[in-house]
């Protein structure tokens, strides 16, 4: 699989973006190395290509600056299991400014007994921010884990106007 990558700088953070012919496939953790992509696409061939990521770069920068409320991007989410893809599709339906618990998310995809598997699928989301896994919290209301770290999760939810 060929993934065309570039980087985006927003404030003091650098994000790597990776796209395939089908669309955006990866948004990296702030200030992580490009090799993070191999955690999601272990056999990928990486090709530096600014133009392949232009459709996502500006909208993501605008979102991080607080001037964009939603994304309308082609996404490539084919590199997951059926369960992962169903969880990622469900994440896209969580409205901006709201949160959902892992158990509520499991119920939404008709897998109420698979809360741990759903949580694992959320954690395996390769499209940080764009597929809003930051909107999933613990049943207790605590933020829980996040690939970008708890401070980033809190910042994104605050940016979206979520009640914390």
């Amino acid at each position: 699989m060929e993934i065309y990558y570039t980087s985006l700088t927003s404030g003091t953070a650098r994000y790597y973006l990776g796209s395939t012919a089908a669309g955006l496939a990866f948004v990296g953790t702030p200030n992580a190395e490009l090799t993070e992509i191999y955690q999601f696409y272990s056999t990928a061939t990486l090709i530096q290509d600014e133009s392949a990521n232009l459709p996502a770069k500006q909208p993501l920068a605008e979102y991080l600056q607080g001037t964009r409320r939603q994304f309308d991007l082609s996404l490539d989410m084919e590199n997951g299991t059926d369960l992962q893809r169903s969880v990622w599709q469900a994440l896209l339906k969580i409205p901006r400014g709201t949160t959902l618990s892992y158990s509520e998310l499991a119920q939404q995809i008709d897998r109420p007994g698979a809360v741990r598997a759903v949580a694992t699928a959320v954690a395996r989301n390769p499209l940080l921010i764009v597929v809003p896994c930051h909107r999933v919290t613990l049943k207790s209301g605590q933020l829980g884990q996040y690939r970008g770290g708890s401070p980033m999760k809190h910042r994104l939810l605050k940016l979206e106007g979520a009640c914390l």
Side-chain angles (χ1 to χ4, degrees):
M1 164 183 255
E2 292 181 338
I3 296 184
Y4 305 94
Y5 75 91
T6 193
S7 65
L8 161 71
T9 300
S10 178
T12 60
R14 182 200 64 235
Y15 301 83
Y16 280 106
L17 309 179
S19 294
T20 66
L24 186 67
F26 175 77
V27 176
T29 303
N31 299 320
E33 296 298 320
L34 176 61
T35 55
E36 177 190 25
I37 201 166
Y38 291 120
Q39 295 174 22
F40 301 92
Y41 302 95
S42 60
T43 62
T45 300
L46 300 180
I47 302 165
Q48 188 170 11
D49 186 338
E50 179 81 18
S51 64
N53 291 284
L54 282 178
K57 192 170 182 176
Q58 186 64 31
L60 185 57
E62 291 168 357
Y63 173 86
L64 292 167
Q65 294 164 0
T67 60
R68 176 176 289 271
R69 298 183 54 81
Q70 62 189 20
F71 296 101
D72 183 25
L73 302 170
S74 295
L75 302 177
D76 184 344
M77 297 191 297
E78 294 303 310
N79 196 44
T81 65
D82 289 343
L83 174 68
Q84 288 171 332
R85 287 192 303 271
S86 68
V87 168
W88 300 338
Q89 287 296 328
L91 291 173
L92 290 169
K93 296 175 186 170
I94 302 172
R96 177 187 170 92
T98 63
T99 60
L100 200 67
S101 71
Y102 292 99
S103 56
E104 290 170 323
L105 184 59
Q107 289 173 1
Q108 279 193 358
I109 64 164
D110 296 321
R111 300 285 302 268
V115 177
R116 286 183 188 262
V118 166
T120 300
V122 170
R124 293 287 306 153
N125 168 25
L127 287 156
L128 196 70
I129 304 167
V130 176
V131 175
C133 52
H134 59 275
R135 296 179 187 159
V136 183
T137 61
L138 301 176
K139 191 186 293 188
S140 67
Q142 293 179 337
L143 291 182
Q145 299 293 315
Y146 185 62
R147 178 164 49 109
S150 295
M152 180 183 182
K153 185 172 187 173
H154 185 268
R155 184 175 59 84
L156 291 172
L157 290 171
K158 186 176 177 183
L159 178 76
E160 294 183 352
C163 297
L164 301 175

